Amino acid sequence: MRDSPTNRRMTLQALLALGGMSCSRTLFAEPNIPSRAPVTPEDLSGAHTDPEPLFAAPTRLDRIGRVMTHVKVNGKGPFRFVIDTGASRSTLAPHLARALDLQRTAGRNVMLNGVTGAAEVPTVAVDSIEIGALKFEKQELPVIFTSIMGNADGILGVAGFQDQRIDVDFKRDRVSVLESNGRRPHYSMVTARASRNDNGLMIVDVRVGRRIRAKAVIDTGAERSLGNLALQTAMNKNRHKKRDPVSAVVHGATPDIADGDVQEIREATIGDMTLTNLEVIFADFHVFKLWGLDKEPAMLIGMDMLGVLDRLVIDYRRNEVSMFGDSSSSRLVQR
């Protein structure tokens, strides 16, 4: 990678991947959780006194963006949840589970599959989750803490959606989660057809550089973009100039860590939209095996790149991803 000193080492926080959860019989001790101010009665009534965070925070040079929404749990709230298109199950932060007095469900732990490995975590029974007009009842939600939450109260896993549509407007700081109307967004947006795997993940075709065909997972819960070893091998197959090694230590939602290699992808094209100058971390990540994407070139596009768009629409009814970006941006090319 250009302007990178030899043997430079980076420590990076990765994403959650909750699509591969399975039930487990034994109990698992709750991990050590960083302290946070307890939720107050005003919080439970929805009367937040602190300034609201951005719903659609764009990615800048000094900040990785996030996508958030208001969620009611058991009729209380609203609370702030991170929208994670790489997760099929929603989760609660420990402080919210305690504030709502939700008790662990005995014998109903689940296996949490993250980027770097898997771990067993407790669950709680929730009567209802509401996002605007959408309501999901009788949920068993894992209780975890991960860095992507920040000060959020939970993670809204949407990969399992069937007929919903997520519309993220980074320019206007707006996020909507609604039933899909079955129509495409404005013609000015680039639309790519997506396939769905068993966990409900949106997977699009991507062309890396001029010749490499790969699969890409759109993941708003990922801080950084990741690549598998098959893609890295394909990229370096005909490379004659030796790169300076730039290593990265990736931390996921579980205690496991992964040693990766940072490499630049000059161009990644989805439909008629080209994302440029991506710094991608390559490693033998657990999550690609979980998704069945470890044998062919594949990557995960995280918020470091999604957050440079002006607008992102994911339609689960149409199985489509639509994007719009400012043509003046040095990181986007839209034809």
Side-chain angles (χ1 to χ4, degrees):
M1 191 172 61
R2 293 170 295 182
D3 302 324
S4 298
T6 301
N7 293 327
R8 180 160 65 90
R9 196 163 180 80
M10 305 170 68
T11 301
L12 304 165
Q13 297 294 330
L15 77 163
L16 276 178
L18 303 178
M21 285 189 170
S22 57
C23 292
S24 177
R25 298 179 181 176
T26 58
L27 294 176
F28 186 78
E30 182 176 350
N32 293 326
I33 304 300
S35 61
R36 180 193 189 274
V39 177
T40 65
E42 288 77 16
D43 292 326
L44 293 177
S45 66
H48 292 291
T49 57
D50 294 332
E52 286 290 314
L54 291 172
F55 292 109
T59 292
R60 304 187 312 225
L61 290 176
D62 61 342
R63 178 186 67 186
I64 297 293
R66 284 204 303 177
V67 179
M68 303 183 70
T69 190
H70 277 155
V71 175
K72 286 188 176 182
V73 181
N74 289 350
K76 297 179 180 179
F79 304 107
R80 296 178 287 265
F81 276 53
V82 176
I83 296 179
D84 189 349
T85 58
S88 59
R89 295 279 296 272
S90 299
T91 70
L92 300 181
H95 69 260
L96 181 57
R98 289 192 292 266
L100 295 175
D101 196 26
L102 300 174
Q103 303 301 314
R104 292 186 185 183
T105 306
R108 291 300 300 271
N109 282 21
V110 294
M111 190 62 68
L112 170 68
N113 282 285
V115 167
T116 56
E120 202 174 347
V121 298
T123 65
V124 293
V126 171
D127 292 332
S128 65
I129 298 177
E130 298 173 70
I131 312 101
L134 301 179
K135 187 174 183 178
F136 303 92
E137 298 181 323
K138 302 301 179 183
Q139 304 281 307
E140 295 253 354
L141 300 186
V143 178
I144 62 168
F145 178 86
T146 177
S147 65
I148 71 166
M149 286 185 181
N151 290 322
D153 301 306
I155 294 173
L156 180 65
V158 299
F161 277 7
Q162 296 297 323
D163 297 311
Q164 288 73 35
R165 171 173 165 162
I166 301 169
D167 191 333
V168 182
D169 190 330
F170 290 103
K171 279 282 190 180
R172 295 178 175 83
D173 184 22
R174 297 175 183 171
V175 175
S176 64
V177 183
L178 304 166
E179 293 288 346
S180 171
N181 58 16
R183 297 192 297 270
R184 280 188 173 178
H186 193 267
Y187 67 87
S188 62
M189 299 190 73
V190 171
T191 297
R193 189 72 180 169
S195 59
R196 305 280 296 275
N197 69 0
D198 292 341
N199 297 319
L201 286 173
M202 282 285 192
I203 302 175
V204 297
D205 291 325
V206 59
R207 187 178 75 250
V208 177
R210 295 182 179 180
R211 59 184 177 80
I212 302 173
R213 303 285 179 176
K215 300 294 184 182
V217 174
I218 305 297
D219 195 333
T220 58
E223 293 182 2
R224 297 294 297 263
S225 297
L226 308 177
N228 68 1
L229 295 182
L231 176 56
Q232 186 180 33
T233 299
M235 288 175 54
N236 296 332
K237 184 176 181 181
N238 297 318
R239 187 185 294 266
H240 301 293
K241 186 177 179 180
K242 186 177 181 180
R243 297 182 301 110
D244 292 332
V246 181
S247 60
V249 179
V250 179
H251 295 264
T254 68
D256 304 278
I257 63 174
D259 291 320
D261 185 16
V262 181
Q263 186 170 340
E264 183 182 72
I265 292 179
R266 299 283 183 88
E267 294 184 353
T269 302
I270 303 171
D272 289 330
M273 176 72 76
T274 299
L275 307 176
T276 64
N277 303 318
L278 290 77
E279 282 196 344
V280 176
I281 309 166
F282 291 92
D284 187 19
F285 290 113
H286 168 78
V287 72
F288 286 112
K289 298 175 184 176
L290 176 71
W291 292 337
L293 294 174
D294 56 320
K295 303 299 183 184
E296 61 181 319
M299 63 185 299
L300 179 152
I301 298 179
M303 285 303 299
D304 54 341
M305 290 308 301
L306 296 174
V308 306
L309 297 170
D310 288 346
R311 188 179 172 198
L312 172 68
V313 177
I314 302 177
D315 194 315
Y316 288 89
R317 179 179 176 183
R318 292 184 59 90
N319 285 337
E320 289 179 344
V321 176
S322 299
M323 301 167 287
F324 179 81
D326 187 345
S327 58
S328 66
S329 171
S330 61
R331 301 179 69 183
L332 295 172
V333 178
Q334 183 171 329
R335 296 189 294 273

